[in-house]
Each structure stands twice: as structure tokens, then as C-alpha cells.
Amino acid sequence: MAIQWYPGHMAKARRQVQEKLSQIDVVIEIVDARTPLSSRNPMIEELVEQKPRLVLLNKADLADTEMTKRWLEYFETEFSKSLVIDAQRGKGMNKIPEAVRSLAAPLLEKWKRKGINPRALRTLILGIPNVGKSTVINKLAGKKIANIGDKPGVTKKQQWIKVGGEMELLDTPGILWPKFEDEEVGYRLALTGAIKEEIFDFQDTVVFFLKFMKVHYPQLLKQRYDLEELPEDVVDLFDAVGKRRGCLVAGGLIDYDRVAEIIFRDFRHGKFGPVTLETP
Ligand SMILES: Nc1nc2c(ncn2[C@@H]2O[C@H](COP(=O)(O)OP(=O)(O)OP(=O)(O)O)[C@@H](O)[C@H]2O)c(=O)[nH]1
């Protein structure tokens, strides 16, 4: 089953962002370090256009450190300035104001030339649901301002927030795809919590995950389910995990729905250890 989603608030969110962009000096785009490309909104290039942009690779604590280094290089060369952060623990976040200032250097220079008194730099946080926008805002503000939820779509209203004397932040709702053109993007977003559980198929998502893990992190998979070998076939792998976890139904058959759910939750709860779901 393909994962598809056509959220009604899409056009509205896009319009709201467009309206606000005219007041923005620097855009802060948050992506999920475990899946940095899939967690970008394809519309972002078109929306943000020529604005200076800082990309934050968030949830670095859950991602593979080596891969995060490679992704950082990728973003720095391909797009714009990039930082690795763990917003939940506030790691790497003290570098944000300075990065924003350096991105706004041409603007600050222009103000100086024209004799304009510098004002706080206005920034906008953009990102798909659940990448940690509210967490970043609260950490930068030093108090609770934005709602944090483990479910997508918690950020509802837009508001300005002062960060020291030099920076202001606008909280906006995350923007999502009108549809997922690439099925694998959908699976990665399902695994990292960017899309609602009701709209995707656990089994398909977990099949994708297991195939990926077999190639990239076989050891973590073996460790988690105490398997000496990983079977070639993904169904056999489901069987092996199912037996380990006692997911049996009448007749000794494996309850695949339960197995899928267990594996899915294990990933969600970081039980495999740091994992990055795509390579640069
Ligand atoms: N492990 C980890 N969890 C994080 C980090 N940043 C945010 N989270 C968690 O990710 C979930 C989503 O965070 P939010 O800040 O609500 O994300 P959001 O982008 O504002 O989400 P929406 O309101 O749905 O658009 C919450 O459970 C956070 O605690 C991080 O760096 N590491």
C-alpha cells in the first residue's frame, strides 16, 4: 500500500508562510538527522527562494554520528549553513544565534552602509511535523512558549518570540507534502514520526525498515532480537523476530501485525541505538 496524504491545511500553511516571509531575514529549516532529505519539504526551495538559510540537523542523539558528519558536509556544500543539534538536551544550540548573524552579514552590512540602526534579526522556523520545531523554539526562548507533542501537527498558531536582543523567532506550523511521490520517503517519515500512524501500513513500513537494517546495520538488528544470523528472506526475518518475541497465534503461526508493531515501536523508542535511515 502506498502512503499518501493530502492534508487540507496544506495550502493554508503555505500561504501563511509566504505572507510571513517578507518580514524574515533568515530562515531556519529543521530536518531530522535520521532522514535529512526525506524530512525536507520539497516546496521549501520554491518557498524560501533567496533568503539566507540555516539548516538544523535535529535529533542528532538518535542518528548515526558518522552519517551525521557526512550529512553536515552535504548540506554545507549543497545548500547553506548547517548545524547539528539535539534540541531536547539543548546540545549545539548555542551556535544558532551566531550562525544566524553570519548568514545575515550582507544585510547587516547594508544597514551599516545606509546608516540604519540595526534591529533584531527576524527568523522563521520551518520544517515538517515532529522534527522538533517547538522544542527548538522553547530552548532558544529559554522557557515554554510553543507546544511540544509526540504527535504530528501540534504547532498551530504563529507568534513572534524574542531571543536575546539580537534575534526574533516566528513559530509556524510545519508544512507537509500534498502527496509522497516516493514511497520510501513515506516509510522514512512514518518511522521517524512525521506522519500520523493512522495513515500508513505498519507491515510495509517495517519490511522497508528491516531490509534497510539488514544492509546498513545488521549488527544492531541481531543484537536487538538476539539472532545469530539474519535470514535472507524478510518473511523469515519476521518469523525469527516473532518467535523471539512470542508473537504466535493459533496453530503456531506468527502474528505479523504484532511483529511489525513491535519492531516499529522499538525503532520509535530508539531501542536499536543510533540509526540513520538514508545516506547522502
Ligand atoms: N531524542 C530527541 N527528541 C527530540 C529532539 N527534539 C525534539 N524531540 C522530540 O520530538 C517530538 C516532537 O517535537 P516538537 O518540538 O513538538 O516538534 P514540532 O516540529 O514542533 O512538531 P509539530 O508541532 O507536530 O509540527 C517531541 O516528543 C520532542 O520531545 C531531539 O533533539 N532529540
Side-chain angles (χ1 to χ4, degrees):
M1 187 192 78
I3 299 170
Q4 298 218 312
W5 193 22
Y6 303 87
H9 61 265
M10 182 71 203
K12 195 174 156 212
R14 180 195 182 121
R15 220 167 33 242
Q16 281 173 345
V17 171
Q18 269 166 339
E19 275 164 20
K20 301 290 176 191
L21 272 173
S22 60
Q23 315 164 50
I24 298 299
D25 302 316
V26 177
V27 168
I28 301 176
E29 179 189 2
I30 305 184
V31 301
D32 189 317
R34 293 167 296 174
T35 173
L37 277 195
S38 296
S39 61
R40 306 187 87 212
N41 188 300
M43 284 185 349
I44 195 143
E45 300 302 333
E46 170 213 334
L47 265 172
V48 171
E49 286 176 48
Q50 302 304 324
K51 299 278 176 191
R53 192 180 347 157
L54 173 65
V55 177
L56 301 179
L57 290 155
N58 188 35
K59 308 201 184 186
D61 56 309
L62 302 174
D64 179 338
T65 313
E66 276 310 305
M67 291 301 297
T68 302
K69 273 188 206 151
R70 288 179 57 191
W71 276 113
L72 185 66
E73 279 170 26
Y74 172 88
F75 276 96
E76 295 256 273
T77 49
E78 289 285 314
F79 300 100
S80 48
K81 204 167 174 52
S82 184
L83 292 173
V84 174
I85 63 163
D86 165 357
Q88 207 164 47
R89 291 167 191 80
K91 282 189 190 162
M93 297 200 47
N94 54 354
K95 294 184 184 150
I96 294 174
E98 203 210 303
V100 166
R101 262 199 309 282
S102 82
L103 280 165
L107 181 68
L108 295 170
E109 197 49 47
K110 192 172 110 187
W111 288 347
K112 208 170 150 191
R113 252 192 347 260
K114 294 190 169 178
I116 298 169
N117 272 344
R119 55 159 172 75
L121 292 167
R122 291 175 188 152
T123 61
L124 167 70
I125 301 256
L126 279 183
I128 65 164
N130 211 43
V131 281
K133 299 181 295 299
S134 303
T135 309
V136 168
I137 288 161
N138 290 339
K139 275 278 159 27
L140 285 175
K143 59 184 169 189
K144 189 179 177 300
I145 284 164
N147 282 334
I148 299 172
D150 204 17
K151 290 259 159 63
V154 172
T155 308
K156 290 286 189 283
K157 267 199 179 160
Q158 294 188 330
Q159 52 189 329
W160 284 104
I161 296 139
K162 290 206 185 308
V163 182
E166 300 187 4
M167 194 174 136
E168 279 179 354
L169 267 181
L170 184 66
D171 180 15
T172 60
I175 313 163
L176 242 188
W177 291 249
K179 66 175 179 180
F180 310 125
E181 312 243 302
D182 180 349
E183 207 163 66
E184 293 198 351
V185 170
Y187 293 140
R188 293 190 192 101
L189 296 178
L191 285 160
T192 52
I195 53 181
K196 293 186 168 93
E197 290 188 9
E198 300 85 62
I199 68 161
F200 60 84
D201 186 279
F202 271 114
Q203 277 195 28
D204 289 353
T205 306
V206 169
V207 165
F208 165 83
F209 175 71
L210 288 176
K211 284 181 176 167
F212 180 87
M213 291 296 281
K214 266 186 67 183
V215 174
H216 297 275
Y217 302 99
Q219 214 45 44
L220 297 183
L221 205 50
K222 285 183 193 169
Q223 271 166 23
R224 179 66 197 159
Y225 300 114
D226 200 14
L227 302 169
E228 271 171 26
E229 290 302 325
L230 295 177
E232 257 318 296
D233 189 69
V234 80
V235 177
D236 295 334
L237 188 49
F238 259 82
D239 285 342
V241 175
K243 277 181 197 142
R244 281 279 177 230
R245 288 289 182 272
C247 302
L248 300 174
V249 285
L253 296 171
I254 302 291
D255 181 346
Y256 291 117
D257 282 336
R258 252 183 81 204
V259 178
E261 174 125 15
I262 284 173
I263 297 171
F264 181 86
R265 300 263 169 248
D266 279 353
F267 179 73
R268 250 320 155 68
H269 297 139
K271 293 286 166 63
F272 293 92
V275 166
T276 297
L277 292 171
E278 68 189 333
T279 43

